[in-house]
DNA sequence: CGAGGTCTTGAAGACGATCAACAAACGTGG
DNA sequence: CCACGTTTGTTGATCGTCTTCAAGACCTCG
């Protein structure tokens, strides 16, 4: 089964063919979203949860004065707002960072799953728990890592998450995001992000041009970041690309 | 029913008497934990999830060089590691910040609940989602608020969370934590935390002595923090103290 | 009364923010 | 294919917040 959601859910736990059918048949039709468009609006109370089939998007909070902070980055296979099934209204927005393909899963269908399919329920619950674990690691990065370490940590995380769904070989991947957006992810200024990126380049660990990232030396990058992948709770073996 | 867990769960959603019995009967005997003692160790794979009946504790990650970052603060009624039911091993530790009374709920019992009690399952799931929402708000504080705003935000959050379980009138509460610990919560240095606290005192919004916090002017504090309580997903009316 | 922890203060310095330009890349229409 | 405008990336200079280092004051508890 090659559907990104299934691929992703199977990373969390084995699921049966019946369960696969169940969730796929609940999903609506794929929709195309342009970059910079909101996928879920802050303050809304959705009736469906959105799954990303393709592209990058992010959850963010923004201030009246225009400051913005991303609190999560999502890739193919991620539910961006599974929590909105049980937690309304949305306390943050979700925006497409690249062209995205998404599908919605109606909350009714999720309710049905929780009523009748305890195993699948646990798998979905678990996926929200992994989101939480990533939030915590970002908190650690924000609080106690240098800007350089923080950026390095994020690149390591992305490499492994993308590898897990077959979108990276663990070394290089598409990353169609501007430095301005990255600044809002890292909680830094645009100018400083630019300097940090250059420093990673100068150290020979990062090559990032035209939306393509290459980690020239993952080990060195991980060392800079004091990166420990445990929190991602990925299985030992990534799927084939 | 006056059990802190029940009080807390009822904030999330109405639960039936049968469900209350169910979860209470699953819980083990209360245990007393001294300050500074680990409640759950990083790297462990617990067979039960811990619920706080009394006291303050925190989740933290630490570095080899001694730096530490708290990623959550927990109060009476909170499950500190409900996620360990589905996500092992622990990617962080949990430590008592004050003397704590805790009970364990065996993962077997939680499994049973997810198999047979979908509604209660959703309530528990929801409680982990609120944790996630708080993580996100902390990320926003770390990334885009000044040290002063960040501290003010935390005090506002604590006032409302404690009020929700009857441990504050919304203005004052016990907060038996050192400035060193607060520094590790806020991701700041001890010295700077001290200065920020003094600034809040000078502004006449905070009085914090001997483990007792008084928010002299909640509105002013909330304004400093640009605090919006939506993310806590609390019901309109707090319970009586 | 002494000892250890906690809080407070001062001074110096680093890291990252801000302000202001400029350069390069990209997309579009002519 | 080039001209142009817009977006993105880069650089320099200055400034401010927060860190670090160091020491002293206060408090609690034996």
């Amino acid at each position: 089964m090659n559907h990104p959601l299934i691929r992703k859910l199977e990373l969390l736990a084995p699921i049966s063919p019946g369960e696969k059918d169940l969730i796929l048949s609940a999903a609506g039709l794929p929709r195309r979203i342009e970059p910079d468009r909101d996928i879920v609006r802050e303050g809304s109370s959705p009736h469906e949860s959105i799954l990303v089939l393709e592209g990058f998007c992010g959850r963010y909070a923004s201030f009246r004065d225009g400051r913005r902070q991303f609190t999560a980055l999502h890739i193919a296979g991620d539910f961006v707002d599974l929590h909105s099934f049980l937690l309304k209204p949305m306390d943050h927005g979700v925006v497409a960072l690249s062209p995205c393909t998404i599908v919605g899963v109606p909350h009714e269908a999720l309710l049905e799953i929780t009523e009748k399919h305890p195993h699948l329920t646990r798998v979905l619950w678990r996926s929200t728990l992994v989101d939480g674990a990533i939030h915590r690691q970002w908190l650690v990065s924000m609080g106690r890592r240098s800007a350089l370490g923080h950026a390095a940590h994020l690149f390591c995380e992305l490499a492994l998450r993308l590898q897990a769904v077959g979108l990276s070989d663990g070394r290089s991947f598409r990353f169609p995001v501007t430095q301005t957006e990255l600044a809002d992810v890292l909680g830094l200024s645009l100018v400083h992000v630019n300097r940090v990126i250059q420093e990673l380049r100068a150290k020979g660990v990062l090559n990032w041009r035209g939306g393509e990232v290459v980690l020239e030396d993952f080990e060195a990058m991980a060392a800079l970041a004091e990166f420990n992948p445990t929190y991602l709770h990925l299985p030992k073996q990534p799927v084939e690309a």
Side-chain angles (χ1 to χ4, degrees), chain A:
Chain A
M1 170 50 77
N2 222 23
H3 193 286
L5 169 60
I6 300 305
R7 205 151 58 182
K8 173 70 181 296
L9 290 180
E10 292 201 303
L11 293 173
L12 295 163
I15 53 181
S16 71
E19 288 171 331
K20 291 180 195 181
D21 284 353
L22 196 67
I23 195 149
L24 287 180
S25 64
L29 291 178
R31 275 176 276 161
R32 195 79 191 157
I33 309 280
E34 283 162 58
D36 248 4
R37 266 280 199 305
D38 266 7
I39 293 175
V40 189
R41 226 181 310 274
E42 176 171 0
S44 68
S45 296
H47 300 288
E48 59 177 12
S49 285
I50 302 297
L51 176 74
V52 185
L53 298 181
E54 205 189 326
F56 286 78
C57 54
R59 310 199 209 173
Y60 68 94
S62 44
F63 292 78
R64 264 161 282 105
D65 68 3
R67 274 174 304 155
R68 180 169 69 161
Q69 177 66 52
F70 282 96
T71 58
L73 245 29
H74 288 293
I75 64 174
D78 288 355
F79 260 114
V80 298
D81 68 335
L82 184 49
H83 61 285
S84 75
F85 164 46
L86 294 173
L87 214 59
K88 294 183 231 283
M90 287 291 291
D91 53 50
H92 61 274
V94 182
V95 66
L97 296 171
S98 74
C100 285
T101 313
I102 63 174
V103 291
V105 179
H107 287 169
E108 276 174 52
L110 293 172
L111 184 63
E112 177 86 3
I113 287 172
T114 61
E115 286 292 330
K116 305 223 178 101
H117 301 274
H119 176 255
L120 189 52
T121 300
R122 288 190 297 267
V123 173
L124 292 174
W125 185 354
R126 187 161 197 265
S127 93
T128 65
L129 295 176
V130 172
D131 283 354
I134 294 173
H135 288 334
R136 288 191 292 275
Q137 198 53 239
W138 283 29
L139 279 168
V140 174
S141 282
M142 292 253 197
R144 294 300 184 211
R145 274 187 252 266
S146 67
L148 193 81
H150 187 180
H153 197 276
L154 181 70
F155 284 111
C156 290
E157 174 184 308
L158 286 171
L160 295 200
R161 287 173 59 193
L162 288 163
Q163 183 177 32
V165 292
L167 292 174
S168 167
D169 55 4
R171 239 184 125 258
S172 58
F173 50 89
R174 287 219 68 221
F175 188 53
V177 158
T178 66
Q179 292 187 3
T180 302
E181 288 160 341
L182 185 56
D184 287 339
V185 169
L186 297 174
L188 298 168
S189 70
L190 163 61
V191 172
H192 200 61
V193 162
N194 181 272
R195 287 176 176 142
V196 164
I197 297 299
Q198 288 182 57
E199 200 177 336
L200 289 171
R201 277 204 272 260
K203 284 184 190 296
V205 296
L206 175 72
N207 195 334
W208 177 24
R209 298 256 166 219
E212 283 293 325
V213 165
V214 182
L215 306 189
E216 302 287 359
D217 183 344
F218 187 95
E219 289 309 319
M221 182 80 96
L224 285 174
E226 305 191 53
F227 182 74
N228 174 342
T230 311
Y231 74 100
L232 292 172
H233 297 274
L234 294 170
K236 303 282 175 296
Q237 287 301 336
V239 301
E240 279 95 77

